[in-house]
Short mmCIF file of all heavy atoms in Angstrom, two decimals:
data_model
loop_
_atom_site.label_atom_id
_atom_site.label_comp_id
_atom_site.label_asym_id
_atom_site.label_seq_id
_atom_site.Cartn_x
_atom_site.Cartn_y
_atom_site.Cartn_z
N HIS A 155 147.67 151.63 135.74
CA HIS A 155 146.36 151.25 135.19
C HIS A 155 145.32 151.45 136.28
O HIS A 155 145.63 151.60 137.47
CB HIS A 155 146.37 149.78 134.74
CG HIS A 155 146.78 148.83 135.83
ND1 HIS A 155 145.89 148.28 136.72
CD2 HIS A 155 148.02 148.37 136.19
CE1 HIS A 155 146.53 147.50 137.57
NE2 HIS A 155 147.83 147.55 137.28
N ASP A 156 144.06 151.44 135.86
CA ASP A 156 142.96 151.57 136.81
C ASP A 156 142.85 150.32 137.68
O ASP A 156 143.03 149.20 137.20
CB ASP A 156 141.63 151.79 136.09
CG ASP A 156 141.57 153.16 135.41
OD1 ASP A 156 142.30 154.06 135.87
OD2 ASP A 156 140.81 153.30 134.43
N LEU A 157 142.53 150.53 138.93
CA LEU A 157 142.30 149.42 139.85
C LEU A 157 140.82 149.06 139.86
O LEU A 157 139.96 149.88 139.55
CB LEU A 157 142.77 149.78 141.26
CG LEU A 157 144.26 150.14 141.40
CD1 LEU A 157 144.59 150.51 142.83
CD2 LEU A 157 145.14 148.98 140.93
N ALA A 158 140.53 147.82 140.19
CA ALA A 158 139.14 147.35 140.22
C ALA A 158 138.36 148.03 141.33
O ALA A 158 138.90 148.27 142.43
CB ALA A 158 139.10 145.83 140.39
N LYS A 159 137.11 148.34 141.04
CA LYS A 159 136.24 148.93 142.05
C LYS A 159 135.86 147.87 143.09
O LYS A 159 135.95 146.68 142.83
CB LYS A 159 134.98 149.48 141.38
CG LYS A 159 135.27 150.57 140.35
CD LYS A 159 133.99 150.98 139.63
CE LYS A 159 134.28 152.01 138.55
NZ LYS A 159 133.07 152.39 137.79
N PRO A 160 135.42 148.30 144.28
CA PRO A 160 135.06 147.32 145.31
C PRO A 160 134.06 146.28 144.83
O PRO A 160 134.19 145.10 145.15
CB PRO A 160 134.48 148.20 146.43
CG PRO A 160 135.16 149.51 146.26
CD PRO A 160 135.35 149.69 144.79
N GLU A 161 133.06 146.69 144.03
CA GLU A 161 132.05 145.74 143.58
C GLU A 161 132.56 144.83 142.46
O GLU A 161 131.85 143.90 142.04
CB GLU A 161 130.80 146.48 143.09
CG GLU A 161 130.99 147.37 141.88
CD GLU A 161 131.41 148.79 142.26
OE1 GLU A 161 131.85 148.99 143.42
OE2 GLU A 161 131.27 149.69 141.41
N GLU A 162 133.78 145.07 141.96
CA GLU A 162 134.34 144.26 140.89
C GLU A 162 135.44 143.32 141.37
O GLU A 162 135.91 142.47 140.62
CB GLU A 162 134.93 145.17 139.79
CG GLU A 162 133.94 146.11 139.14
CD GLU A 162 134.60 147.13 138.22
OE1 GLU A 162 135.82 147.38 138.39
OE2 GLU A 162 133.90 147.66 137.35
N ARG A 163 135.86 143.46 142.62
CA ARG A 163 137.06 142.76 143.08
C ARG A 163 136.90 141.25 143.16
O ARG A 163 137.89 140.51 143.13
CB ARG A 163 137.50 143.33 144.43
CG ARG A 163 138.03 144.75 144.28
CD ARG A 163 138.32 145.41 145.59
NE ARG A 163 138.60 146.83 145.37
CZ ARG A 163 138.63 147.74 146.33
NH1 ARG A 163 138.39 147.38 147.58
NH2 ARG A 163 138.88 149.00 146.04
N HIS A 164 135.65 140.77 143.28
CA HIS A 164 135.47 139.31 143.31
C HIS A 164 135.78 138.68 141.96
O HIS A 164 135.93 137.46 141.86
CB HIS A 164 134.04 138.97 143.74
CG HIS A 164 133.01 139.32 142.71
ND1 HIS A 164 132.65 140.63 142.43
CD2 HIS A 164 132.26 138.55 141.88
CE1 HIS A 164 131.73 140.64 141.49
NE2 HIS A 164 131.47 139.39 141.14
N LEU A 165 135.90 139.52 140.89
CA LEU A 165 136.22 139.01 139.57
C LEU A 165 137.72 138.91 139.31
O LEU A 165 138.13 138.38 138.28
CB LEU A 165 135.57 139.90 138.50
CG LEU A 165 134.04 140.00 138.55
CD1 LEU A 165 133.56 141.03 137.53
CD2 LEU A 165 133.41 138.65 138.30
N LEU A 166 138.54 139.45 140.21
CA LEU A 166 139.99 139.38 140.05
C LEU A 166 140.43 137.91 139.99
O LEU A 166 140.07 137.12 140.86
CB LEU A 166 140.70 140.09 141.19
CG LEU A 166 140.48 141.62 141.25
CD1 LEU A 166 141.05 142.19 142.54
CD2 LEU A 166 141.11 142.30 140.04
N ARG A 167 141.21 137.58 138.99
CA ARG A 167 141.49 136.17 138.74
C ARG A 167 142.26 135.52 139.88
O ARG A 167 142.00 134.36 140.23
CB ARG A 167 142.28 136.02 137.44
CG ARG A 167 142.51 134.58 137.07
CD ARG A 167 142.86 134.42 135.62
NE ARG A 167 142.97 133.00 135.29
CZ ARG A 167 143.15 132.55 134.07
NH1 ARG A 167 143.25 133.41 133.08
NH2 ARG A 167 143.25 131.27 133.83
N SER A 168 143.20 136.21 140.48
CA SER A 168 143.98 135.60 141.55
C SER A 168 143.16 135.36 142.80
O SER A 168 143.57 134.64 143.69
CB SER A 168 145.19 136.47 141.90
OG SER A 168 144.77 137.74 142.37
N MET A 169 141.95 135.97 142.85
CA MET A 169 141.08 135.74 144.00
C MET A 169 140.00 134.69 143.71
O MET A 169 139.17 134.40 144.55
CB MET A 169 140.39 137.05 144.42
CG MET A 169 141.31 138.00 145.16
SD MET A 169 142.07 137.25 146.61
CE MET A 169 140.62 136.89 147.60
N ARG A 170 140.03 134.14 142.52
CA ARG A 170 139.02 133.15 142.18
C ARG A 170 139.43 131.79 142.75
O ARG A 170 139.95 130.93 142.07
CB ARG A 170 138.85 133.02 140.67
CG ARG A 170 138.35 134.29 140.02
CD ARG A 170 138.26 134.09 138.52
NE ARG A 170 138.03 135.35 137.84
CZ ARG A 170 138.01 135.47 136.52
NH1 ARG A 170 138.21 134.43 135.76
NH2 ARG A 170 137.80 136.64 135.96
N SER A 171 139.21 131.61 143.99
CA SER A 171 139.56 130.35 144.65
C SER A 171 138.45 129.95 145.59
O SER A 171 137.74 130.79 146.13
CB SER A 171 140.87 130.49 145.41
OG SER A 171 140.74 131.48 146.42
N LEU A 172 138.29 128.66 145.76
CA LEU A 172 137.28 128.14 146.67
C LEU A 172 137.95 127.75 147.98
O LEU A 172 138.75 126.82 148.03
CB LEU A 172 136.61 126.90 146.05
CG LEU A 172 135.77 127.16 144.80
CD1 LEU A 172 135.38 125.85 144.17
CD2 LEU A 172 134.55 127.96 145.16
N ILE A 173 137.65 128.50 149.03
CA ILE A 173 138.20 128.13 150.32
C ILE A 173 137.58 126.82 150.77
O ILE A 173 136.53 126.41 150.28
CB ILE A 173 137.97 129.23 151.37
CG1 ILE A 173 136.46 129.47 151.56
CG2 ILE A 173 138.64 130.52 150.96
CD1 ILE A 173 136.15 130.48 152.65
N ALA A 174 138.19 126.12 151.71
CA ALA A 174 137.78 124.77 152.08
C ALA A 174 136.31 124.69 152.48
O ALA A 174 135.60 123.77 152.09
CB ALA A 174 138.67 124.26 153.21
N ALA A 175 135.85 125.67 153.23
CA ALA A 175 134.47 125.62 153.71
C ALA A 175 133.48 125.67 152.55
O ALA A 175 132.52 124.91 152.50
CB ALA A 175 134.21 126.77 154.67
N LYS A 176 133.73 126.57 151.57
CA LYS A 176 132.82 126.70 150.44
C LYS A 176 132.94 125.50 149.50
O LYS A 176 131.95 125.07 148.92
CB LYS A 176 133.11 128.00 149.69
CG LYS A 176 132.77 129.24 150.52
CD LYS A 176 133.18 130.51 149.84
CE LYS A 176 132.87 131.72 150.72
NZ LYS A 176 133.33 132.99 150.13
N ALA A 177 134.14 124.96 149.36
CA ALA A 177 134.30 123.78 148.53
C ALA A 177 133.54 122.60 149.10
O ALA A 177 132.93 121.82 148.37
CB ALA A 177 135.79 123.43 148.39
N SER A 178 133.55 122.47 150.43
CA SER A 178 132.82 121.36 151.05
C SER A 178 131.32 121.50 150.84
O SER A 178 130.61 120.51 150.69
CB SER A 178 133.15 121.29 152.55
OG SER A 178 132.70 122.47 153.21
N VAL A 179 130.83 122.75 150.84
CA VAL A 179 129.41 122.96 150.57
C VAL A 179 129.07 122.53 149.15
O VAL A 179 128.06 121.86 148.91
CB VAL A 179 129.03 124.45 150.79
CG1 VAL A 179 127.60 124.71 150.33
CG2 VAL A 179 129.19 124.83 152.25
N LEU A 180 129.93 122.91 148.19
CA LEU A 180 129.71 122.50 146.82
C LEU A 180 129.75 120.98 146.67
O LEU A 180 128.96 120.38 145.95
CB LEU A 180 130.74 123.14 145.90
CG LEU A 180 130.54 124.63 145.58
CD1 LEU A 180 131.69 125.13 144.71
CD2 LEU A 180 129.22 124.86 144.88
N ASP A 181 130.72 120.35 147.37
CA ASP A 181 130.82 118.89 147.31
C ASP A 181 129.53 118.24 147.78
O ASP A 181 129.03 117.29 147.17
CB ASP A 181 131.99 118.40 148.17
CG ASP A 181 133.33 118.79 147.57
OD1 ASP A 181 133.36 119.12 146.37
OD2 ASP A 181 134.33 118.75 148.30
N SER A 182 128.99 118.73 148.89
CA SER A 182 127.76 118.15 149.42
C SER A 182 126.58 118.37 148.48
O SER A 182 125.71 117.51 148.33
CB SER A 182 127.45 118.73 150.80
OG SER A 182 127.20 120.13 150.71
N MET A 183 126.55 119.53 147.80
CA MET A 183 125.47 119.80 146.85
C MET A 183 125.58 118.89 145.63
O MET A 183 124.57 118.40 145.12
CB MET A 183 125.51 121.28 146.42
CG MET A 183 125.21 122.25 147.54
SD MET A 183 125.46 123.98 147.07
CE MET A 183 124.03 124.26 146.05
N VAL A 184 126.81 118.65 145.17
CA VAL A 184 127.03 117.75 144.04
C VAL A 184 126.58 116.34 144.41
O VAL A 184 125.89 115.66 143.66
CB VAL A 184 128.51 117.75 143.61
CG1 VAL A 184 128.78 116.64 142.61
CG2 VAL A 184 128.87 119.09 142.99
N ASN A 185 126.99 115.90 145.60
CA ASN A 185 126.65 114.54 146.03
C ASN A 185 125.14 114.38 146.24
O ASN A 185 124.61 113.27 146.14
CB ASN A 185 127.39 114.20 147.32
CG ASN A 185 128.89 114.13 147.11
OD1 ASN A 185 129.35 113.81 146.02
ND2 ASN A 185 129.66 114.43 148.14
N ALA A 186 124.46 115.49 146.55
CA ALA A 186 123.01 115.44 146.76
C ALA A 186 122.24 115.47 145.45
O ALA A 186 121.02 115.36 145.44
CB ALA A 186 122.57 116.60 147.64
N GLY A 187 122.96 115.64 144.33
CA GLY A 187 122.30 115.62 143.03
C GLY A 187 121.72 116.95 142.60
O GLY A 187 120.88 116.99 141.70
N ILE A 188 122.15 118.05 143.22
CA ILE A 188 121.63 119.36 142.84
C ILE A 188 122.24 119.78 141.51
O ILE A 188 123.44 119.62 141.28
CB ILE A 188 121.95 120.41 143.94
CG1 ILE A 188 121.23 120.02 145.24
CG2 ILE A 188 121.54 121.81 143.50
CD1 ILE A 188 121.53 120.95 146.40
N ARG A 189 121.44 120.33 140.63
CA ARG A 189 121.90 120.70 139.30
C ARG A 189 122.94 121.81 139.37
O ARG A 189 122.88 122.70 140.22
CB ARG A 189 120.73 121.16 138.44
CG ARG A 189 119.67 120.10 138.24
CD ARG A 189 118.55 120.63 137.39
NE ARG A 189 119.01 120.92 136.04
CZ ARG A 189 118.25 121.49 135.11
NH1 ARG A 189 117.01 121.83 135.40
NH2 ARG A 189 118.73 121.73 133.91
N MET A 190 123.89 121.76 138.43
CA MET A 190 124.98 122.73 138.41
C MET A 190 124.47 124.15 138.26
O MET A 190 125.01 125.08 138.86
CB MET A 190 125.95 122.39 137.28
CG MET A 190 127.20 123.27 137.26
SD MET A 190 128.24 122.95 135.82
CE MET A 190 128.67 121.25 136.09
N VAL A 191 123.39 124.32 137.48
CA VAL A 191 122.88 125.67 137.24
C VAL A 191 122.30 126.29 138.50
O VAL A 191 122.12 127.50 138.59
CB VAL A 191 121.82 125.66 136.12
CG1 VAL A 191 122.43 125.30 134.80
CG2 VAL A 191 120.69 124.70 136.46
#
Side-chain angles (χ1 to χ4, degrees):
H155 56 88
D156 291 336
L157 300 179
K159 300 175 183 178
E161 64 271 17
E162 300 171 338
R163 291 173 190 166
H164 69 288
L165 299 174
L166 294 171
R167 185 161 184 174
S168 62
M169 284 305 298
R170 297 178 191 175
S171 61
L172 293 170
I173 61 176
K176 293 174 182 176
S178 63
V179 172
L180 284 177
D181 290 342
S182 63
M183 294 173 75
V184 170
N185 294 331
I188 296 177
R189 299 180 65 185
M190 185 186 298
V191 293

